[in-house]
Amino acid sequence: MPDALLELEDVHAYIGQHHILQGVSLAVRRDAVTVLLGRNGAGKTTTMRTIVGLLHPARGAIRFEGQAIHALPPYAIVRRGIGFVPEGQGIFATLTVDENLRIARLRDDAESRARLARVLELFPDLERFRRARAGTLSGGQKQMLAIARAFVNPNRLLLIDEPSKGLAPIVVEHLVETLRALKRHATVLLVEQNFAMAQALADDFFLIDDGRTVRQGPMAALTADEALKKRYLGV
Ligand SMILES: Nc1ncnc2c1ncn2[C@@H]1O[C@H](COP(=O)(O)OP(=O)(O)OP(=O)(O)O)[C@@H](O)[C@H]1O
Ligand SMILES: [Mg+2]
């Protein structure tokens, strides 16, 4: 894909002896939201971990802005501008919201301070609870803080793993609204099991099953394909 910011080409990866990824190919277009779908255990989280260098592919290629990144260590990949929001948040419960955002920054200069101010505008809930300890936030607010932490750096790509997991439906709706606002500012690769959320946010989809890409296309095509949704996603 010529305008792809990130490309995975036939990626294979092992965890121990287990051949988990067996041919994942995907492309993330600049300024779009791409959703990675697949049933439990399909390899979605493993794909994200491989992109950020926590696992190295045994075969295949990962390119970011046209350059191969699959042999780089995680810190080098993060420095190129890929932010990762893992499942289960990874925030510091005993620190305040403000402290969580400050320590997430890779640099402390005028630009990063300006970015921090902008992040608080994009997440009014966090602005309101700036001085509260992160552990006291609601589940939805904690998820927003986790995403905001990736936003304080000038990332060109955000990887967000199942942000709706464990959240009540009404909270998910609020999260969708917030992420919609962020769409204008970022390219996102989203893993999401909540189909309504995926549908509300995504431009493109990639469907993986048993560690392989089995289908891809515009999100609207998946929305219309009842048989495909039923077969792979149980919706
Ligand atoms: N540390 C590990 N050791 C062995 N197998 C693992 C390990 N982590 C993941 N797996 C296996 O790899 C496969 C893919 O797991 P992965 O977490 O990537 O799936 P997923 O699509 O993110 O699933 P979920 O929807 O449940 O989050 C699963 O079969 C899982 O059991
Ligand atoms: Mg997962």
Side-chain angles (χ1 to χ4, degrees), residues 2-228:
D3 59 345
L5 180 62
L6 176 78
E7 270 183 297
L8 277 70
E9 197 183 306
D10 193 30
V11 168
H12 288 243
Y14 288 79
I15 300 177
Q17 304 298 313
H18 304 283
H19 192 177
I20 306 290
L21 301 186
Q22 306 188 27
V24 172
S25 296
L26 64 85
V28 175
R29 284 188 295 133
R30 230 176 265 276
D31 301 322
V33 174
T34 301
V35 70
L36 181 59
L37 296 159
R39 49 182 139 222
N40 290 332
K44 305 180 296 296
T45 297
T46 305
T47 298
M48 286 199 160
R49 290 172 54 83
T50 306
I51 294 168
V52 294
L54 294 168
L55 277 177
H56 290 295
R59 214 173 99 191
I62 303 178
R63 284 184 292 273
F64 181 61
E65 300 184 311
Q67 294 184 320
I69 58 166
H70 51 261
L72 300 177
Y75 73 86
I77 294 174
V78 166
R79 288 200 174 266
R80 286 190 183 213
I82 300 182
F84 180 34
V85 184
E87 204 182 318
Q89 298 156 355
I91 57 175
F92 297 96
T94 59
L95 300 183
T96 66
V97 165
D98 210 44
E99 288 164 344
N100 266 281
L101 292 172
R102 281 165 190 278
I103 61 170
R105 293 178 303 171
L106 294 172
R107 288 177 301 141
D108 181 10
D109 54 19
E111 193 210 317
S112 96
R113 282 190 287 273
R115 251 190 112 77
L116 187 61
R118 219 173 321 139
V119 165
L120 289 168
E121 280 169 30
L122 286 167
F123 294 90
D125 282 20
L126 298 181
E127 166 82 82
R128 208 164 340 127
F129 294 107
R130 263 181 96 154
R131 306 202 194 290
R133 289 194 194 284
T136 67
L137 298 176
S138 72
Q141 290 163 345
K142 282 181 185 149
Q143 188 59 60
M144 284 186 201
L145 176 57
I147 296 167
R149 293 184 83 236
F151 234 80
V152 296
N153 291 308
N155 284 317
R156 285 190 283 280
L157 174 67
L158 295 188
L159 310 179
I160 310 178
D161 195 358
E162 291 215 51
S164 76
K165 199 167 197 175
L167 301 180
I170 181 80
V171 179
V172 172
E173 273 176 42
H174 186 47
L175 192 60
V176 168
E177 290 314 310
T178 307
L179 288 174
R180 259 189 209 280
L182 294 186
K183 264 187 88 157
R184 291 194 299 275
H185 306 269
T187 301
V188 175
L189 176 61
L190 178 72
V191 164
E192 192 45 75
Q193 298 270 69
N194 180 321
F195 194 76
M197 182 161 180
Q199 203 178 320
L201 293 168
D203 301 294
D204 303 322
F205 80 93
F206 285 82
L207 181 58
I208 63 172
D209 200 48
D210 286 335
R212 284 186 189 85
T213 301
V214 292
R215 211 62 86 83
Q216 67 187 74
M219 191 63 200
L222 178 61
T223 301
D225 194 334
E226 298 300 334
L228 190 63

